């Protein structure tokens, strides 16, 4: 089903591209579909890779190193009025004498709390980086970002897009307090990050910039059109500059949604807001998201410069 859905999205990208191209050719007066999935891709001089592809085996299980754990937890959501699920990774050697930073890692329109687990092997990806001292030991929370009573990715998944906006309240009022009560967490904003893919990338932009008092590290990968327009997203340029420790944006150069991220990148550049802009050779696909997680995880919660 999952593979079928991704192929469906892939086909939509191609169809979207072809139909928009044809519309523009056949009838220049007709407006382009606003925010459509899979628009024409125009690459500029900034749209280049900041990082190499990850090394072979980066998300494969390695023997002879310590391993973390993955746990599916449930929490009561006042926002949705149901019990909701989240996957939680705790790093090797997790103990209550240490206060850990937390990364909230969000999925796409057809995903759920298991999406990252299914394609990126986060236990192994993080265990490997932590064993090599490339990532800070952290807790990674993978919730369900579709904040509605039936939060399964069923039927017309696009119809649930508004529930991805509702998730801001579920995250802040219900999930974060649960995580901070249940685990040994450093609750300061400098030790809380938000990142995600596609719809989760848009959520990372919107919730990250919208709650600079809560998040200091923001990582949107292949952000979808749920991303607020830059002027609305960043009404206070100085606050963004002074509060963000890292803004790490990526997209594939074959992703029909790249214009969403290009648009934010250009606004950030014009306003002198420091950020990473990494454009690799992938499309709107798990290879791009795994690679982005691999590189983002090596900068989040660290003071070194993100690009060496
Ligand atoms: C859209 C195209 C794509 C959209 C959302 C998506 C809300 C999300 C894609 C994904 O999460 O993979 O127009 O509108």
């Amino acid at each position: 089903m999952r593979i079928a859905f991704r192929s469906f999205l892939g086909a939509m990208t191609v169809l979207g591209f072809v139909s928009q191209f044809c519309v523009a050719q056949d009838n220049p007066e007709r407006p382009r579909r606003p925010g459509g999935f899979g628009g024409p891709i125009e690459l500029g001089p900034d749209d280049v890779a900041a990082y190499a592809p990850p090394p072979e085996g980066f998300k494969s299980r390695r023997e002879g190193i310590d391993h973390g754990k993955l746990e599916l937890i449930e929490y009561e959501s006042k926002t949705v009025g149901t019990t909701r699920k989240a996957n939680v990774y705790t790093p090797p050697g997790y103990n209550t004498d240490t206060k850990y930073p937390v990364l909230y890692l969000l999925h796409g329109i057809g995903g759920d709390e298991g999406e990252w687990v299914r394609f990126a092997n986060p236990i192994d990806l993080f265990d490997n980086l932590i064993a090599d001292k490339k990532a800070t030991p952290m807790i990674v929370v993978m919730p369900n970002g579709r904040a509605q009573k039936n939060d399964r990715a069923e039927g017309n998944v696009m119809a649930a897009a508004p529930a991805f906006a509702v998730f801001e309240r579920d995250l802040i009022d219900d999930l974060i307090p649960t995580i901070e009560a249940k685990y040994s967490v450093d609750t300061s904003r400098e030790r809380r990050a938000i990142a995600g893919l596609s719809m989760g990338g848009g959520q990372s932009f919107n919730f990250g910039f919208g709650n600079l008092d809560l998040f200091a590290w923001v990582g949107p990968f292949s952000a979808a059109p749920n991303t607020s327009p830059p002027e609305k997203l960043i009404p206070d340029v100085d606050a963004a500059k002074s509060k963000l420790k890292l803004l790490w944006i990526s997209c594939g150069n074959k992703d029909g949604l790249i214009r969403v991220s290009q648009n934010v990148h250009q606004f950030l550049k014009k306003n002198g807001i420091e950020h990473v802009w990494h454009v690799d050779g992938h499309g709107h696909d798990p290879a791009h998201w795994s690679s982005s997680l691999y590189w983002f995880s090596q900068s989040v919660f660290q003071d070194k410069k993100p690009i060496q």
Side-chain angles (χ1 to χ4, degrees), residues 56-68:
E56 190 82 20
F58 72 103
K59 58 187 178 73
S60 304
R61 193 168 181 88
R62 243 159 65 190
E63 296 311 328
I65 61 166
D66 292 336
H67 294 291

Side-chain angles (χ1 to χ4, degrees), residues 6 9 35-37 108-110 158 161 197-199 224-226 257 284 289:
R6 281 281 163 221
L9 285 187
F37 186 49
I109 193 92
M158 285 289 175
L197 73 91
S198 201
M199 284 300 274
N226 60 331
L257 298 181
H284 197 73
W289 303 321

Side-chain angles (χ1 to χ4, degrees), residues 205-262:
F205 269 133
N206 297 347
F207 308 166
F209 277 108
N211 300 280
L212 290 168
D213 55 328
L214 293 180
F215 301 103
W217 313 80
V218 178
F221 317 147
S222 325
N226 60 331
T227 305
S228 295
E231 294 72 16
K232 186 168 165 237
L233 188 64
I234 312 166
D236 184 344
V237 166
D238 291 336
K241 279 185 186 166
S242 68
K243 292 205 144 168
L244 282 176
K245 301 274 283 180
L246 176 69
L247 175 56
W248 198 102
I249 306 167
S250 73
C251 200
N253 68 12
K254 298 183 187 66
D255 187 335
L257 298 181
I258 193 170
R259 69 191 179 286
V260 173
S261 302
Q262 285 170 322

Side-chain angles (χ1 to χ4, degrees), residues 151-186:
D151 64 6
R152 296 304 93 193
E154 298 171 339
N156 173 12
V157 290
M158 285 289 175
F164 282 75
V166 177
F167 181 65
E168 181 167 8
R169 296 286 19 121
D170 180 82
L171 173 66
I172 294 171
D173 301 337
D174 305 311
L175 179 59
I176 292 179
T178 303
I179 296 297
E180 296 184 350
K182 188 172 163 62
Y183 295 93
S184 184
V185 168
D186 184 335

